[in-house]
Amino acid sequence: MQNNILAVPFRKGAHLSLSTAIRQYISTKYDQHPDMFRQDLDVIDVLRRDAINVREPHPTGVARLQAYAGQLVWISGKFPIDIGADFTWYPALGYNTERPIVHNNLKYELANILYNLAALYSQLAIAGNRTSTDGLKTAASYFSQSAGVLTHLKNEVIPELRTTPPEDMDEHTLDSLIQLQLAQAQECYWQKAVMDGYKDASIAKLAAKVSDFYNEAGEAAMRSEAISSSWIHHMSAKHHHFAAAAQYRAACDCLEKRKYGEEVARLRDAVACVTEGLKESRGGYLHKSVLEDLNGLKRRVEEDLKRAERDNDVIYLNPVPPKSELKILDRATMAAARIPPQVSAPLDYLSEKGEFGPPLFTKLVPYSVHIAVSIYEERRDRLVNQNIIAELETLNERIHEILSSLNLPGSLQAFEKPLGLPPTLVQHAEEIRQADAIHRLQRSFADIDKLRAADFALFEEGRSLLQAEEEEDIQLRRKYGTNRWSRPESRSEPTQGQKLWEQVTSAEGWFANSESSDGVVRDKFHSIEPTLVVLAGPDRGLLDFVPSSRRTEIPETLKPAIGRLRTAYNDITRFEGRRRRKAEALREKARNDDIKSDILTEAARLERTHAVATAIVPAHFEEFFEKRLDSLYEPDLELVKTEGAEQERLVTELIRVNREFESQKKMVGDKGNKEREQALQKLENAYYKYKELVSNADAGRKFYNDLSRIIGGFRDGARGFVAERRQEARMLEDELNMPPLNNLSLGGPQGHMQPVQSPPPRANSWNKNTGYPTQSQPQQQQQQQPPPSNSFLPPSQPRQPVQAPAEAQIQSWAPAGETVAPQPQPPRANPMQGVWTPGAGIKFANTPPPAASPAGSSGGAAGNSGPSVSGTWDRNSAIRFG
């Protein structure tokens, strides 16, 4: 079996009961019982189990992965992205393949399933028979579909992930994998053209495009943190290989067209390209089949080059153009990313007789519908409360301001009831007593303070978390430097951080404005509190507060003016009363406005008529919202305009009549009514101020209750964001604290090191001592050169062959069980670079060599009675330096 192409490895997923999370979410968030969906819950678990167990290149796995992915797309319209299931997946590429990544994210689950679908297409292409033209066409189709799925993953799924994608799913890694699949698909078309005996010019165009694809894949891989060095060397070697193959075929075409000089130039360039490709074999990164292909091509090209140069020098004598003057080869692109329709439009395959079966949880009200209902209710309440009722209350406040400026009804009551208490004042005083007005307002203010304190505590918790994380990030940035600590700062982090810090600024403004508004309301209360105490007291206190008039009868000349003023005043008070009843009826109408049944009907219509091409989202109901709000509340919006116009007419009439009354009153003289008029008006103003304060307190409670939900969401978002940032910081710090590569021996022991017996490492397992994954390529120790006679090491024994690991490395191009030998390495020139072993002595650099002695002599210099000097240190003697 050939192994000169690469397959995308599978990501490994941990088993999880998705139905448990869905059941819990339905029971807590929906008004439907989970047992209604027992069959659907069982099906979703079966689909997920079948999908994550796809680990072999078999065509049946395609349908399993596509079916589960299609249902995930469908249920994304029923449930939120953070449904409550912690999906655990292990990376397929990179140096952290044993470290799981966990996210409570349906899009993350979908991304992993689509990644494995692309890996399956890639492995099906390799597993097929590529020795026939039909097999090559099938393999090219699989590679194209793999590239299409990866393209869909990159463009449609990853942008909706709402979190940082894993290393092997980032933009550069996916770009590299897409170009790699296209390169291998194009290579299949090139191989088919060779088998079918196409002309050399056509084969050259195909090969040139293969080289381009591999070049783009390698460039993207260099920017990726997950693509291994062996893959990068493989891509570079294939790039040079097919550049050489394209020039070789172009040279063959030149020979056919009798362009002998250009033939020599292109063959020389082909030799240069294949030589560059062979350089990638340093370090044993290339599979032997790739190396054999390069060497075979080199031999063939060199033979043709010798023949071409000899023929041209002897016979044709054509000038050989330099490489810069050679025409750039045309490209013939056959490979293109092809997204399977089951991936691009999965909802089309969900039906009773569809390929993916019936859609799950169809009877469950979609989550998007719940969101749409909340949006409609919020929009309706804003329309009713702000655009209608608030405008009506503003008109009422305008009436009270005008009445207060005219001293009404105090000026009337002082004449109509010169003694005792006016009936309307008695009614208002009784209402104040029944409502326990002062204590009611004080309790409301206390409740508002508690709500505000609770909201501010939530806000302070979230803000403190963000500030602490920001400070931690600053400390780590100072420790490692901005070049190495390359992640964005907390305030500029694009996915969540920037939004959360903007919420901090907004919330600070909300609390500042609300504190100012609360102060205004309390000042208003303190200004009328003494008067409210009088109104809430017994009638005797009211009689003492309101002085009696010294005029006990109304002058005859003043009676007509008082009558007209009383009529105008009664008209405007009745008008205000009707308006209050209309506002209360409008509130009741809004409370009874239940949209759920109608919006479900609209959602069913959208699904039935396929009016939307994707899962239903709240934006699909915009037109429905507008029509419903217009039909229900447009008459009430018109009411505000008519009420304003009618009020202006009544107020104008009241001011005119009151002017006449004041002029008549001056003519007859005041005579003791002024003090009574002022007291009555002060009590009347206090009553209406109390009504305003009640409305203000209710609005304050509602504001802080609504703010609690917003701040709670902010606090929860800050918790999740800080947890993710701290986990990311730990991973980045671990990576930065890894030992430098020059301290590691990635190529296996060499030189005169003693062999160390150890069990073979697992495929791509993590070495806790080095912080790097162990090599999975089994290597065989070469026979070492004998050491020099003065070496401190005994002669090394040849290393026994290492057994191949039980599992193939995830990124390896070698099949399971096949041993790949590294390229021979020259022996070390200096034996001192070896590693000392406990069985050998210590040799010091400046120790003189031993003196020559006769054969069989124990050694000892002539004329030296002391012990002989040898290159081995005696532990019982002193150490001699120099």
Side-chain angles (χ1 to χ4, degrees):
M1 178 181 177
Q2 293 182 352
N3 289 279
N4 57 352
I5 53 180
L6 301 174
V8 179
F10 287 112
R11 290 175 67 87
K12 181 182 177 182
H15 287 278
L16 167 74
S17 178
L18 180 55
S19 63
T20 302
I22 295 177
R23 176 184 292 273
Q24 179 66 23
Y25 194 87
I26 292 175
S27 62
T28 55
K29 300 293 184 178
Y30 292 81
D31 55 358
Q32 295 169 277
H33 199 278
D35 288 343
M36 296 172 57
F37 311 99
R38 186 177 303 168
Q39 182 177 357
D40 291 345
L41 293 169
D42 293 338
V43 170
I44 196 67
D45 275 344
V46 172
L47 288 173
R48 186 177 196 276
R49 183 173 61 250
D50 291 345
I52 67 172
N53 286 334
V54 175
R55 308 289 297 166
E56 298 294 334
H58 195 277
T60 57
V62 174
R64 295 176 183 177
L65 290 168
Q66 287 179 348
Y68 181 50
Q71 293 290 357
L72 283 176
V73 173
W74 168 257
I75 67 174
S76 296
K78 299 281 186 178
F79 301 103
I81 191 172
D82 51 343
I83 194 173
D86 291 328
F87 298 105
T88 303
W89 288 87
Y90 291 82
L93 304 173
Y95 299 102
N96 299 318
T97 55
E98 299 299 322
R99 183 181 298 175
I101 299 176
V102 184
H103 285 299
N104 173 20
N105 191 317
L106 279 175
K107 291 294 183 181
Y108 175 66
E109 173 83 345
L110 176 61
N112 282 277
I113 295 300
L114 291 179
Y115 188 97
N116 275 2
L117 178 59
L120 179 59
Y121 279 128
S122 176
Q123 295 187 27
L124 284 172
I126 293 179
N129 180 16
R130 301 193 308 280
T131 59
S132 65
T133 56
D134 290 339
L136 287 170
K137 287 174 62 177
T138 302
S141 176
Y142 279 137
F143 280 131
S144 297
Q145 291 181 87
S146 177
V149 174
L150 291 171
T151 301
H152 179 80
L153 172 63
K154 173 193 169 188
N155 296 334
E156 303 297 334
V157 181
I158 296 299
E160 298 180 0
L161 203 56
R162 300 186 187 176
T163 185
T164 303
E167 284 185 351
D168 55 347
M169 285 189 191
D170 64 10
E171 181 180 0
H172 300 308
T173 304
L174 291 179
D175 280 339
S176 178
L177 294 179
I178 291 169
Q179 296 302 320
L180 175 63
Q181 302 311 300
L182 293 176
Q184 295 177 158
Q186 182 80 7
E187 184 175 350
C188 291
Y189 288 113
W190 167 84
Q191 191 174 354
K192 180 178 180 296
V194 173
M195 286 185 178
D196 291 341
Y198 279 49
K199 291 184 177 181
D200 291 319
S202 299
I203 296 176
K205 294 176 182 178
L206 291 170
K209 190 59 182 179
V210 176
S211 178
D212 291 345
F213 278 134
Y214 274 117
N215 183 45
E216 292 171 4
E219 288 181 353
M222 292 293 290
R223 297 189 294 270
S224 168
E225 298 290 337
I227 303 297
S228 69
S229 297
S230 61
W231 278 37
I232 295 174
H233 284 285
H234 174 94
M235 296 171 191
S236 180
K238 298 282 277 189
H239 160 59
H240 293 299
H241 177 190
F242 280 95
Q247 290 289 35
Y248 173 73
R249 289 289 180 170
C252 294
D253 183 62
C254 290
L255 176 61
E256 183 180 353
K257 296 177 179 178
R258 300 182 180 182
K259 299 178 180 179
Y260 304 110
E262 183 178 345
E263 176 197 7
V264 173
R266 292 196 181 275
L267 287 173
R268 288 175 180 173
D269 189 53
V271 171
C273 290
V274 77
T275 303
E276 286 295 321
L278 285 170
K279 290 180 181 179
E280 302 295 332
S281 64
R282 298 171 183 172
Y285 288 109
L286 296 185
H287 189 270
K288 62 180 182 180
S289 62
V290 178
L291 197 57
E292 290 172 357
D293 290 343
L294 285 166
N295 284 321
L297 178 61
K298 183 178 182 182
R299 288 192 297 270
R300 186 171 181 180
V301 172
E302 286 177 342
E303 291 174 0
D304 280 15
L305 177 60
K306 290 179 182 178
R307 187 264 311 154
E309 287 179 336
R310 183 178 63 250
D311 292 349
N312 190 54
D313 292 342
V314 175
I315 302 172
Y316 307 115
L317 303 177
N318 286 356
V320 178
K323 180 181 178 181
S324 59
E325 295 181 6
L326 291 177
K327 178 185 176 184
I328 297 176
L329 297 178
D330 294 331
R331 267 60 172 169
T333 304
M334 297 296 294
R338 183 161 57 89
I339 306 175
Q342 294 88 343
V343 174
S344 59
L347 300 184
D348 295 343
Y349 296 84
L350 288 170
S351 64
E352 291 293 336
K353 298 182 180 180
E355 185 177 335
F356 299 161
L360 303 178
F361 307 102
T362 52
K363 295 182 180 179
L364 182 69
V365 178
Y367 178 74
S368 59
V369 173
H370 282 267
I371 299 298
V373 170
S374 301
I375 292 174
Y376 172 80
E377 291 176 349
E378 179 183 356
R379 194 174 299 178
R380 176 202 63 202
D381 292 343
R382 184 168 63 248
L383 174 67
V384 170
N385 294 325
Q386 296 182 9
N387 296 2
I388 302 177
I389 293 179
E391 292 295 328
L392 295 178
E393 290 180 349
T394 301
L395 292 174
N396 289 338
E397 292 176 3
R398 171 65 177 161
I399 289 177
H400 297 150
E401 291 174 359
I402 293 174
L403 292 177
S404 177
S405 65
L406 299 177
N407 284 332
L408 290 174
S411 59
L412 272 175
Q413 293 171 346
F415 278 96
E416 293 176 339
K417 188 71 175 177
L419 301 175
L421 299 174
T424 55
L425 180 60
V426 174
Q427 293 176 3
H428 293 165
E430 185 61 27
E431 183 180 345
I432 294 292
R433 297 189 196 104
Q434 293 292 333
D436 193 13
I438 297 177
H439 292 97
R440 176 184 178 182
L441 289 175
Q442 291 173 344
R443 285 193 301 270
S444 296
F445 295 153
D447 292 343
I448 289 174
D449 290 339
K450 291 179 182 178
L451 290 173
R452 187 180 189 281
D455 291 351
F456 193 78
L458 287 176
F459 168 69
E460 188 62 30
E461 179 184 351
R463 182 172 62 177
S464 299
L465 285 171
L466 292 177
Q467 290 173 342
E469 191 280 327
E470 184 181 37
E471 183 62 28
E472 294 168 3
D473 185 69
I474 292 174
Q475 295 293 337
L476 291 170
R477 198 176 301 276
R478 290 173 180 169
K479 178 179 178 181
Y480 294 103
T482 55
N483 290 333
R484 301 180 69 197
W485 197 259
S486 57
R487 70 171 184 169
E489 296 180 359
S490 176
R491 293 179 184 266
S492 59
E493 200 275 331
T495 56
Q496 298 183 62
Q498 187 174 359
K499 179 181 177 182
L500 288 171
W501 280 105
E502 288 175 356
Q503 289 180 349
V504 168
T505 304
S506 299
E508 289 173 346
W510 296 337
F511 281 110
N513 293 336
S514 64
E515 184 177 11
S516 176
S517 300
D518 293 345
V520 171
V521 172
R522 281 171 170 76
D523 291 342
K524 187 189 298 184
F525 168 71
H526 293 315
S527 67
I528 66 168
E529 186 177 9
T531 311
L532 281 180
V533 171
V534 175
L535 278 172
D539 289 345
R540 170 51 57 188
L542 283 172
L543 290 171
D544 293 342
F545 185 82
V546 179
S548 298
S549 175
R550 287 176 291 188
R551 185 192 297 274
T552 57
E553 293 182 0
I554 302 175
E556 290 297 329
T557 58
L558 197 58
K559 286 182 179 180
I562 291 177
R564 289 192 294 272
L565 183 58
R566 169 57 66 181
T567 301
Y569 176 77
N570 289 341
D571 288 343
I572 204 165
T573 53
R574 284 194 296 268
F575 177 74
E576 181 190 1
R578 288 195 302 271
R579 179 184 292 161
R580 291 188 183 278
R581 288 191 293 272
K582 290 177 182 178
E584 189 58 37
L586 181 58
R587 290 191 182 96
E588 186 66 22
K589 176 182 176 181
R591 283 192 293 267
N592 296 331
D593 181 12
D594 188 359
I595 196 179
K596 292 180 181 178
S597 59
D598 293 338
I599 203 171
L600 285 176
T601 303
E602 177 67 10
R605 184 191 69 80
L606 291 173
E607 293 178 350
R608 183 174 60 254
T609 59
H610 298 284
V612 293
T614 59
I616 294 179
V617 296
H620 293 145
F621 298 97
E622 284 296 327
E623 184 179 355
F624 174 73
F625 291 164
E626 292 179 4
K627 290 181 179 179
R628 185 180 180 91
L629 291 173
D630 289 345
S631 62
L632 290 179
Y633 301 104
E634 188 64 30
D636 298 300
L637 288 170
E638 294 294 331
L639 174 67
V640 174
K641 299 178 181 178
T642 57
E643 288 281 317
E646 180 65 15
Q647 177 172 309
E648 286 299 319
R649 186 186 67 81
L650 293 174
V651 166
T652 302
E653 178 65 17
L654 178 67
I655 293 174
R656 184 187 66 79
V657 173
N658 184 74
R659 191 181 301 112
E660 294 178 356
F661 168 74
E662 290 294 332
S663 63
Q664 291 292 331
K665 187 169 64 171
K666 289 180 181 179
M667 292 177 62
V668 299
D670 193 356
K671 295 185 179 180
N673 281 346
K674 190 66 176 177
E675 293 81 4
R676 181 177 177 84
E677 177 182 329
Q678 291 176 348
L680 291 172
Q681 190 62 40
K682 189 174 183 179
L683 293 172
E684 195 71 19
N685 291 342
Y687 170 75
Y688 284 111
K689 291 290 185 184
Y690 160 73
K691 302 291 283 186
E692 291 179 12
L693 287 171
V694 170
S695 178
N696 295 151
D698 292 341
R701 268 195 298 264
K702 184 178 185 305
F703 169 79
Y704 285 114
N705 283 323
D706 294 341
L707 185 62
S708 176
R709 290 192 292 270
I710 299 174
I711 297 299
F714 158 75
R715 189 273 313 270
D716 295 341
R719 282 179 174 176
F721 171 72
V722 170
E724 289 184 5
R725 290 273 291 183
R726 285 173 174 168
Q727 181 182 4
E728 180 185 8
R730 285 193 297 270
M731 295 174 63
L732 183 56
E733 195 170 13
D734 291 343
E735 182 178 341
L736 293 176
N737 288 331
M738 287 180 179
L741 292 176
N742 57 9
N743 291 344
L744 303 176
S745 176
L746 300 180
Q750 297 177 359
H752 299 286
M753 294 184 294
Q754 293 292 329
V756 180
Q757 299 296 330
S758 61
R762 291 186 59 193
N764 205 21
S765 60
W766 186 263
N767 189 327
K768 295 181 180 179
N769 297 324
T770 65
Y772 283 79
T774 59
Q775 288 187 332
S776 65
Q777 302 174 9
Q779 301 184 2
Q780 189 173 9
Q781 183 68 21
Q782 298 177 340
Q783 182 70 28
Q784 303 296 331
Q785 298 290 336
S789 60
N790 63 346
S791 172
F792 57 86
L793 290 176
S796 61
Q797 300 296 328
R799 180 179 292 275
Q800 297 298 323
V802 181
Q803 297 297 323
E807 301 177 9
Q809 182 179 352
I810 289 179
Q811 267 184 255
S812 176
W813 25 248
E818 181 175 343
T819 302
V820 181
Q823 295 300 303
Q825 299 291 332
R828 298 175 186 264
N830 184 4
M832 290 304 294
Q833 294 176 357
V835 179
W836 175 76
T837 58
I842 301 177
K843 180 179 182 300
F844 295 92
N846 294 327
T847 302
S853 61
S857 174
S858 61
N864 187 1
S865 61
S868 62
V869 180
S870 66
T872 304
W873 172 64
D874 184 3
R875 70 182 66 184
N876 296 321
S877 63
I879 300 176
R880 178 182 177 184
F881 297 91

